[in-house]
Every structure is written in C-alpha cells, then in structure tokens.
Amino acid sequence: MHFASPTRRHLLTATAALGATALLGGTAHAAAGPARHPWPEQFPLPDGWRPEGIAVGPGPYAYFGSLGHADLYRVHLPTGRGAVVRTGLDATHPTVGLKSDRYGRLFLAGGPSGELRTVDARTGQVERVVQVGGTFVNDVILTPGAAWFTDSFTDALYRLERGARGEPGEARTVRLGGDWVQGDDFTANGIERTPDGSALLVVNAFAGGGTLMRVDPRTGIARAVDLGGALLPNGDGLLLLGRTLYVVQQWQNAVDVFHLDAAGTRGSLVTRIEDPARFRIPTTAAAWGDRLYLPNARFDVDPPTPDTDYDVVAVRRM
C-alpha cells in the first residue's frame, strides 16, 4: 500500500451504523471486544518478514502478509505471540493489503502478481486465486456483497463478489473516471467505505498532491473529498470507525484523523497521531478494542535483508 519508495520499485523488478438500503451497507469494521491491559503495545514479526497490510479478527488475532513471499503470520494480540501460517504458494505470490471476514476467510491483494486471493485464515489453504491482470493490486476492503481492490498503476478497481457466507464469486473491473487522475508512479492506495455505505473512499497519491476520492461503485466516477485543504501525499492504509477516518501517512510516520460527513463528501482534520520513538514507516492500521495496530514496513531499509527486524505497534484510538 505504499508508493514512490525504492523498496516497492525493487519489488516490482524481481497490494455509524449503515442504513439497510445503503449500496455498500453494513457496519464499520472495528473488531468487537475489549483490549484488556496489559496487552503488549509492541511486538515483533519474524526478521526479514517485510509486512505491509494487517487484518484483525475473527477474535483477538492479527494477520500479516509479506512483500517477499506468500506465507502469513498470525499473532495473538493479548500476548503478542505468533506463528507462520503456510499457504503452499511460492514467492511469486506476495501479499500487500489483506482483510478478514467473520467466517475466517482472508482476502489478499497480490501486488505485482496481479492476483485477488482468498485463503482459510486458520490453515492457510488457498481457496481461490483470480488473475485480473493488474499491475499492482494494492489494498482491499470488504462490503456486504463484495471485496474491492485497488491497483496502484491502473485507473481501475476490482470487484470480487461475495456470497451469503462470504464465499468469493465472479470478479469484474470498474474503470475510474471523473476527478480521477492517474499518475506515472503509485497512484491508488488505501480503500474504505463512506460512513453511510453509499460509496467507496480511495487514496489518490498523485492528484492535487495527495487526495481522497469518493468513488461511485456502480460507475467508477470519482470526486475529490473536501478535506479542508489537508493533503495526503503519503496516504496509505485507510480505516473507518463510525465517521472517524484514520489515514496512515507512511513516510511522515503519522496517522491523520478526520471526521467525515455521512456521505463521505467532506471531512475535517481532527488530529495527527505521531510516535517518533516507535513509528518506523507504518503503512496501515486495524482496530481491536480501544487500540489501533500498525505494522512498521521500514521502507527506508533498501534493500531489506533476511536479518532486517520488523515489528507492530499499538496506539490508542481517538
């Protein structure tokens, strides 16, 4: 979910309650359950892991993909202890963004592989691989009827249908238009829903110096969200909790917090979360209880090595 970084270029060379009639209806996806302290506020990932995305749930478990290989890492949040989940795929199937559903299924954005994948979160068994021919499938968000994926080098979103129990169905491409401007480098990044579920929110790192776009899922027409002059030049992962939108600004080592209107047409900057001692280029965030969890991707380490250390940090929600 990052852009304009030497590490990503290296990889390319060798991813409140809503009305019942809302088009993308459902509820904002903070995982339920209290984070009883003392839970660890920082825990390690395996050396050389190269994380970027994070998915939380079902239960107090977090999942991390890798830019370097196809395996997953599952962490028990109350203890910070984790284990590798083998998928059986080779290193040509990395994972960028990922999300989990309540049925224990993970939806994975395959980065330069151009894949949309689903796997069993417990066993790592691959359920479905859809090749969409994308150049860099970056991030994913789940809605009641579909999983939506961004592509950083193509002016398109990918929609993967979800059945009654979340099972993956047919995929189709939705071309982006309207205010959408496609740059020569990483453009589309994080993706979310509007608070009322009527549209999608997508980071465009190129347009206007970094813009949040509201996208009509039926037509692909994008309109810039009025953020009161705030820019997202390093906008990466998005997380919506009610009408609060968290935008991870990776190279700024910060999380910008916005309050949105219900339709997601405008928002105001509330605060910025910074942690200079612990943030090492975080890329995205997921919530459990009163905390946000962010993987440190360390894109400033180029090239990464098998000994490069990685970790995850927790901060309080606003």
Side-chain angles (χ1 to χ4, degrees):
M1 291 174 226
H2 75 290
F3 47 86
S5 74
T7 302
R8 177 65 64 82
R9 295 192 185 101
H10 176 74
L11 176 63
L12 286 174
T13 60
T15 153
L18 308 181
T21 60
L23 181 61
L24 300 176
T27 57
H29 50 273
R36 293 185 177 89
H37 302 291
W39 287 18
E41 296 184 347
Q42 189 166 359
F43 51 81
L45 298 175
D47 286 352
W49 189 260
R50 299 179 64 193
E52 196 179 85
I54 176 175
V56 168
Y61 290 89
Y63 295 84
F64 303 88
S66 171
L67 294 174
H69 53 76
D71 293 333
L72 303 168
Y73 192 69
R74 178 172 57 219
V75 174
H76 184 234
L77 294 176
T79 63
R81 293 194 292 267
V84 176
V85 179
R86 305 291 182 186
T87 66
L89 299 175
D90 63 30
T92 64
H93 303 270
T95 296
V96 190
L98 66 165
K99 290 292 185 295
S100 58
D101 68 14
R102 61 178 177 165
Y103 304 107
R105 178 183 292 107
L106 289 167
F107 291 77
L108 312 179
S113 72
E115 295 173 346
L116 323 178
R117 298 196 302 274
T118 61
V119 304
D120 184 306
R122 183 180 63 86
T123 66
Q125 180 177 354
V126 177
E127 178 183 29
R128 181 89 184 277
V129 178
V130 179
Q131 175 58 251
V132 292
T135 51
F136 198 98
V137 184
N138 194 319
D139 202 359
V140 56
I141 186 64
L142 304 184
T143 69
W148 290 86
F149 297 79
T150 60
D151 190 317
S152 290
F153 285 100
T154 303
D155 55 350
L157 301 177
Y158 307 117
R159 182 186 188 276
L160 181 66
E161 292 181 4
R162 298 175 65 216
R165 295 183 58 82
E167 62 274 12
E170 296 301 313
R172 67 182 178 92
T173 299
V174 177
R175 290 291 170 187
L176 295 168
D179 293 342
W180 191 266
V181 181
Q182 186 67 30
D184 295 329
D185 209 322
F186 278 80
T187 301
N189 211 316
I191 184 170
E192 253 293 356
R193 292 172 296 165
T194 58
D196 67 3
S198 63
L200 298 163
L201 299 171
V202 180
V203 172
N204 185 310
F206 177 78
T211 302
L212 184 66
M213 295 285 186
R214 183 184 187 276
V215 179
D216 185 326
R218 295 165 299 188
T219 66
I221 296 299
R223 298 299 179 206
V225 178
D226 180 2
L227 296 180
L231 298 179
L232 308 177
N234 301 128
D236 200 326
L238 302 179
L239 175 65
L240 181 72
L241 302 179
R243 288 169 63 170
T244 300
L245 181 69
Y246 297 88
V247 182
V248 182
Q249 296 253 51
Q250 33 141 300
W251 285 94
Q252 296 179 14
N253 280 313
V255 182
D256 286 345
V257 184
F258 295 89
H259 180 75
L260 300 180
D261 66 356
T265 60
R266 62 175 55 87
S268 58
L269 181 64
V270 176
T271 190
R272 167 170 281 193
I273 301 172
E274 298 178 292
D275 193 333
R278 298 191 302 153
F279 282 1
R280 298 189 294 173
I281 311 185
T283 45
T284 192
W288 178 267
D290 63 353
R291 290 180 171 186
L292 302 179
Y293 289 88
L294 302 97
N296 277 318
R298 303 200 65 191
F299 292 142
D300 55 335
V301 179
D302 185 39
T305 73
D307 298 323
T308 301
D309 66 290
Y310 296 95
D311 64 354
V312 179
V313 298
V315 297
R316 287 294 182 93
R317 285 173 47 182
M318 301 301 298

